[in-house]
């Protein structure tokens, strides 16, 4: 609780104590006997309740008059001021029942509601503020043989900084010397440290845990990962959901309308029908108190704000409540394959040696033959061999574009490539129909075996698809430029509903356009399409979808610019988690809307018939607002991303 909240709390406690004393005196003390008249007792009671009223709500009254001076008349402060002053003013009608206690109580409990609102917003901001803590205060730069601390804004690409153990990385860069464990939990939610060494990229906001690192800066602070994330979070509240915008417009017309109805209720029956003024003025005041739209104008934005804050705890950055609402209505989710459902790096998935050879021998021979190639397939073969290749054992290396390579390894002629290379050299090989890229190896003209290389499916991908279906997603689609047989095999393993393969980048956009037409043309109102990509080469598709979700793309400018939702890790399960948070938030929003309007309209009807007193009005306004605020706070109740 901050200082402002503590001051308000203390004021409320003092006002509540004074209110209790006034009520005790009114109830148990013989005021009429002390003052000698009923009128005197009434004015003493007036003074007793005026004190807690002013202690609790003097700022509300001042703000109401200040706003009137600025032309801002119809707001909650105006309604509270008119209704409560009116309750005290009923003392001027000798035949009316006094309402000073109710007037003081309305103001007191209104301030209690304001305190709850302030606390709820503060709690939501705390979850987002945890992200703000990732912003570094300084960067270490070596000058004149010693380290000095400078503002990260002062540094430019090419500058060299030193990051000590326990310090945050202030800017994005490349490690030039040193090895250390890096804590990325503040950005990704993962508490398992990552090892970095020479040549590895590090991003701002992560914590260096063990060793001293020297880092060459690659981006200015304004373009760094931490700066972009903070900007994204700070601007999230500017983009309002359709429901939130509707409530804002609703309150704009609703408030002056109910003020007019309350005035008509107080004035017209006495003027036209000769009814007693005190009766209808009281009904008008009760109507005013009930009509205050606090519960709606506070709880709906607070619910969305809480949902965005809760999502950030789970490692999901949402750029605005409109995207959170759209994600809640998602019925079709389309995926890029490489880097999203798969790891995005080629790996050896199987080694099948011919008779008389071992898998280790086959891999070693292939790695040596590929030792002079920079092709991704050659790199994956060398990684799988898990040993440094000795170039002195290789000579006459030659690469055949689109087919493979040949080399002399330890004096033996080695061919490694596809079936066409084998056929060209008349090698009798055993065909392998495995899904992926198949490399056939021949030694001195004899078939030595095959190696299968593929983009490995992420272990969480199948669970992610299953979780999305549980969340009500009707259809999951994979869009990929890969071969049809590879795409179909992956789709079947993951449980995807549809797959569209061999797509060029512009064809992916066309497929998304077709899917959007299907989703929007089925007459289901707000149903939306979400596209999930790695954010590096999917920017056009991310921008075209109703909701663009970039994953595992903290260092990608394209992702943060093009996507509406950024997953701060590369875990596909986070997509279903984001949908769940969005649906929970929207559910809470509608619970508050239905509850607040239902209670208000019911009590308004009773007030117009004279069946609701001021205490019922207090509940319909402040009570409903407090309940709605407490319900809105549930949107923040999102556990941190689990480990593992």
């Amino acid at each position: 609780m901050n200082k402002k909240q503590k001051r308000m709390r203390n004021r409320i406690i003092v006002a509540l104590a004074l209110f209790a004393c006034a009520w005790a005196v009114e109830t148990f003390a013989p005021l009429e006997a002390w003052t000698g008249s009923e009128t005197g007792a009434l004015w003493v009671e007036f003074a007793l309740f005026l004190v807690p009223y002013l202690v609790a709500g003097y700022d509300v009254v001042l703000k109401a008059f200040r706003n009137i001076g600025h032309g801002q008349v119809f707001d909650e402060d105006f309604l509270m001021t008119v209704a409560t002053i009116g309750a005290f003013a009923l003392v001027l009608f000798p035949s009316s029942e006094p309402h000073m206690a109710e007037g003081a109580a309305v103001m007191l409990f209104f301030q209690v509601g304001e305190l709850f609102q302030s606390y709820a917003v503060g709690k939501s901001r705390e979850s987002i503020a945890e992200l703000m803590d990732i912003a570094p205060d300084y960067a270490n730069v070596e000058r004149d043989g010693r380290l000095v601390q400078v503002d990260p804004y002062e540094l430019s690409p090419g500058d060299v900084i030193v990051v000590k153990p326990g310090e945050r990385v202030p800017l994005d860069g490349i490690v030039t010397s040193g090895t250390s464990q890096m804590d990325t939990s503040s950005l990704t939610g993962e508490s398992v440290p990552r090892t970095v060494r020479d040549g590895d990229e590090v991003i701002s906001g992560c914590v260096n845990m063990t060793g001293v690192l020297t880092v060459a800066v690659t981006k200015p602070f304004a373009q760094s990962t931490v700066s972009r994330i903070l900007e994204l979070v700070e601007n999230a509240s500017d983009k309002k959901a359709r429901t939130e915008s509707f409530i804002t417009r609703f309150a704009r017309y609703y408030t002056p309308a109910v003020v007019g109805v309350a005035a008509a209720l107080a004035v017209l029956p006495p003027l036209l029908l000769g009814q007693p003024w005190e009766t209808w003025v009281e009904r008008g005041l009760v109507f005013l108190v009930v009509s205050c739209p606090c519960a709606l104008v506070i709880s709906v934005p607070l619910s969305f704000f809480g949902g965005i804050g809760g999502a950030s705890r789970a490692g999901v950055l949402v750029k605005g409540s409109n995207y959170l609402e759209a994600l809640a209505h998602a019925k079709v989710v389309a995926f890029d394959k490489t880097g999203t459902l798969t790891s995005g790096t080629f790996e050896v998935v199987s080694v099948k040696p011919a008779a008389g050879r071992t898998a280790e021998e086959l891999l070693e021979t292939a790695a040596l033959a590929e030792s002079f190639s920079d092709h991704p397939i050659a790199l994956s073969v060398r990684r799988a061999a898990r040993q440094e290749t000795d170039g002195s054992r290789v000579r006459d290396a030659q690469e055949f574009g689109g087919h493979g390579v040949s080399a002399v390894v330890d004096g033996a002629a080695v061919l490694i490539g596809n079936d066409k290379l084998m056929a060209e050299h008349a090698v009798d090989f055993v065909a392998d129909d495995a899904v992926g890229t198949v490399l056939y190896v021949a030694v001195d003209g004899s078939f030595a075996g095959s190696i299968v290389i593929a983009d490995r499916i992420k272990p969480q991908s199948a669970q992610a698809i299953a979780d999305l279906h549980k969340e009500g997603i009707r259809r999951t689609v994979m869009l990929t430029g890969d071969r049809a047989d590879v795409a179909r095999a992956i789709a079947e393993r993951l449980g995807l509903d549809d797959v569209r393969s061999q797509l060029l980048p512009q064809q992916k956009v066309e497929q998304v356009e077709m899917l959007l037409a299907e989703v929007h043309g089925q007459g289901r109102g707000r149903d939306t399409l979400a596209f999930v990509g790695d954010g590096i080469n999917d920017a056009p598709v991310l921008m075209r979808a109703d909701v663009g979700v970039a994953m595992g793309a903290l260092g990608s400018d394209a992702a943060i610019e093009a996507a509406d939702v950024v997953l701060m890790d590369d875990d596909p399960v986070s997509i279903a988690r984001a949908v769940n948070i969005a649906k929970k938030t929207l559910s809470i929003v509608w619970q508050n809307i239905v509850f607040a309007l239902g209670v208000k309209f019911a009590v308004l009807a009773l007030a117009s018939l004279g069946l609701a007193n001021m205490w019922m009005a207090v509940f319909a306004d402040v009570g409903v607002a407090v309940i709605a605020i407490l319900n809105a706070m549930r949107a923040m109740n999102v556990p941190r991303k689990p480990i593992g």
Side-chain angles (χ1 to χ4, degrees):
M1 187 174 285
N2 59 37
K3 291 182 179 179
K4 183 179 179 182
Q5 291 170 344
K6 287 179 180 178
R7 284 197 301 268
M8 181 181 284
R9 179 199 63 189
N10 294 338
R11 232 173 71 208
I12 289 172
I13 291 172
V14 171
L16 188 59
L18 292 170
F19 179 87
C21 292
W23 178 82
V25 171
E26 177 210 23
T27 305
F28 301 109
L31 291 178
E32 192 170 335
W34 289 354
T35 59
S37 69
E38 184 178 337
T39 303
L42 204 59
W43 282 105
V44 170
E45 184 182 336
F46 179 93
L48 286 172
F49 283 107
L50 183 63
V51 175
Y53 171 81
L54 292 175
V55 170
Y58 72 89
D59 55 334
V60 176
V61 176
L62 290 176
K63 187 178 178 183
F65 282 104
R66 188 163 54 246
N67 288 346
I68 291 172
H70 295 156
Q72 302 170 359
V73 179
F74 299 110
D75 60 9
E76 59 194 48
D77 296 305
F78 173 79
L79 292 181
M80 283 296 105
T81 300
V82 171
T84 52
I85 289 178
F88 276 87
L90 285 173
V91 74
L92 299 174
F93 296 94
S95 60
S96 70
E97 184 180 345
H99 286 287
M100 286 81 75
E102 288 94 327
V106 167
M107 185 60 76
L108 181 59
F109 290 119
F110 174 73
Q111 291 289 59
V112 171
E114 291 290 295
L115 180 61
F116 268 96
Q117 175 200 355
S118 176
Y119 177 75
V121 170
K123 288 294 288 182
S124 182
R125 287 191 182 278
E126 279 179 18
S127 60
I128 294 178
E130 291 176 5
L131 276 177
M132 301 306 179
D133 289 339
I134 65 179
D137 298 320
Y138 61 88
N140 297 316
V141 179
E142 187 172 344
R143 290 177 180 170
D144 299 326
R146 62 189 185 89
L147 289 179
V148 295
Q149 294 181 352
V150 301
D151 192 320
Y153 278 99
E154 298 178 9
L155 300 179
S156 305
D159 290 338
V160 177
I161 59 176
V162 176
V163 186
K164 301 176 185 178
E167 293 182 335
R168 288 192 181 276
V169 178
L171 298 124
D172 296 0
I174 302 293
V175 177
T176 57
S177 68
T179 300
S180 181
Q181 296 287 308
M182 193 68 65
D183 177 7
T184 64
S185 60
S186 57
L187 298 180
T188 67
E190 295 286 353
S191 65
V192 179
R194 180 169 66 94
T195 301
V196 294
R197 51 179 60 88
D198 292 9
D200 288 342
E201 181 182 4
V202 291
I203 55 178
S204 51
C206 297
V207 178
N208 182 24
M209 297 176 65
T210 54
V212 177
L213 296 176
T214 302
V215 177
V217 176
T218 56
K219 294 179 183 177
F221 184 79
Q223 297 176 17
S224 66
T225 299
V226 66
S227 180
R228 286 179 174 273
I229 289 174
L230 296 183
E231 181 183 2
L232 184 156
V233 173
E234 288 168 352
N235 295 335
S237 60
D238 294 338
K239 298 177 180 177
K240 295 181 182 293
R242 187 185 305 182
T243 307
E244 189 176 355
S245 298
F246 166 75
I247 292 299
T248 303
R249 293 194 304 272
F250 173 81
R252 189 180 305 145
Y253 297 105
Y254 165 85
T255 305
V258 296
V259 170
V261 172
L265 195 64
V267 173
L268 293 182
L271 288 178
L272 301 179
L273 303 175
Q275 296 288 316
W277 281 94
E278 57 270 24
T279 299
W280 289 96
V281 168
E282 180 183 348
R283 290 185 186 183
L285 294 174
V286 171
F287 195 93
L288 266 186
V289 174
V290 177
S291 63
C292 185
C294 306
L296 289 177
V297 298
I298 293 171
S299 68
V300 171
L302 179 62
S303 299
F304 280 113
F305 191 58
I308 292 172
S312 70
R313 286 178 57 84
V316 179
L317 290 179
V318 184
K319 287 189 176 181
S321 56
N322 53 334
Y323 303 122
L324 200 66
E325 185 177 41
L327 195 60
H329 289 295
K331 294 301 177 184
V332 176
V333 178
F335 294 88
D336 173 48
K337 177 182 77 70
T338 306
T340 303
L341 297 173
T342 63
S343 63
T345 56
F346 287 102
E347 298 179 11
V348 172
V349 294
S350 71
V351 181
K352 301 176 183 177
R357 295 183 181 273
T358 66
E360 290 77 11
E361 290 173 348
L362 185 64
L363 263 180
E364 182 184 11
T365 300
L368 287 166
E370 298 273 20
S371 60
F372 291 98
S373 174
D374 292 326
H375 193 280
I377 288 177
L379 297 176
S380 62
V381 171
R382 296 208 296 272
R383 280 197 304 269
R386 296 181 181 176
Q387 61 182 28
E388 294 293 331
T389 52
D390 183 0
S392 64
R393 297 168 59 186
V394 184
R395 59 182 176 84
D396 299 335
Q398 186 177 359
E399 190 164 351
F400 306 100
H403 289 72
V405 299
S406 68
V408 176
V409 179
D410 294 333
V414 176
L415 290 172
I416 176 169
N418 57 21
D419 53 354
K420 294 178 182 177
L421 184 66
M422 296 296 109
E424 285 178 7
H425 290 80
V427 175
D428 185 14
F429 65 98
V430 178
D432 191 330
D433 59 358
V435 174
T437 300
V438 181
L439 300 179
Y440 298 102
V441 182
V443 179
D444 286 336
S446 298
F447 179 61
S450 60
I451 299 171
V452 180
I453 296 173
D455 187 3
R456 190 180 295 276
I457 295 174
K458 292 179 180 177
Q460 312 96 324
S461 292
Q463 183 63 49
I465 302 302
D467 288 350
L468 282 171
H469 284 130
K470 289 178 184 176
E471 290 294 337
I473 301 300
R474 293 196 303 265
R475 193 172 170 203
T476 52
V477 185
M478 184 170 71
L479 307 178
T480 178
D482 211 340
R483 300 198 323 265
D485 57 341
V486 174
R488 275 196 307 272
I490 291 175
E492 289 174 5
R493 285 183 59 184
L494 297 182
L496 288 157
D497 301 310
D498 190 8
V499 58
R500 303 180 186 187
S501 55
Q502 295 177 296
L503 301 175
L504 297 172
Q506 64 269 26
Q507 291 174 318
K508 280 189 180 182
V509 177
E510 292 170 4
Q511 289 296 324
V512 167
E513 295 277 5
M514 293 170 59
L515 290 170
L516 283 168
E518 294 174 18
V519 172
H520 297 164
Q522 291 175 347
R524 296 181 183 267
R526 297 183 178 182
D527 287 1
T528 60
L529 166 76
F531 177 82
V532 187
D534 61 10
I536 298 171
N537 54 6
D538 292 315
V541 195
L542 287 167
M543 296 178 71
R544 183 61 192 92
D546 291 318
V547 188
V549 183
M551 60 185 304
L554 280 178
S556 169
D557 293 344
I560 296 177
E561 291 295 334
D564 309 312
V565 178
V566 179
L567 307 183
M568 297 171 71
D569 55 23
D570 63 351
D571 186 353
V573 175
S574 293
I575 304 160
R577 188 179 294 114
V579 172
N580 178 270
I581 292 169
K583 293 177 75 171
K584 175 184 174 182
T585 300
L586 203 62
S587 172
I588 290 171
V589 166
W590 281 105
Q591 287 168 17
N592 283 339
I593 290 174
V594 172
F595 173 67
L597 290 180
V599 173
K600 279 191 179 296
F601 286 140
V603 180
L604 283 174
L606 293 174
S608 61
L609 297 173
L611 301 177
N613 58 29
M614 194 67 77
W615 291 113
M616 292 178 65
V618 171
F619 171 75
D621 173 47
V622 180
V624 168
V626 170
I627 293 171
I629 288 168
L630 292 175
N631 191 42
M633 290 177 69
R634 294 195 302 117
M636 292 178 271
N637 188 24
V638 176
R640 284 204 172 276
K641 185 179 181 295
I643 302 167

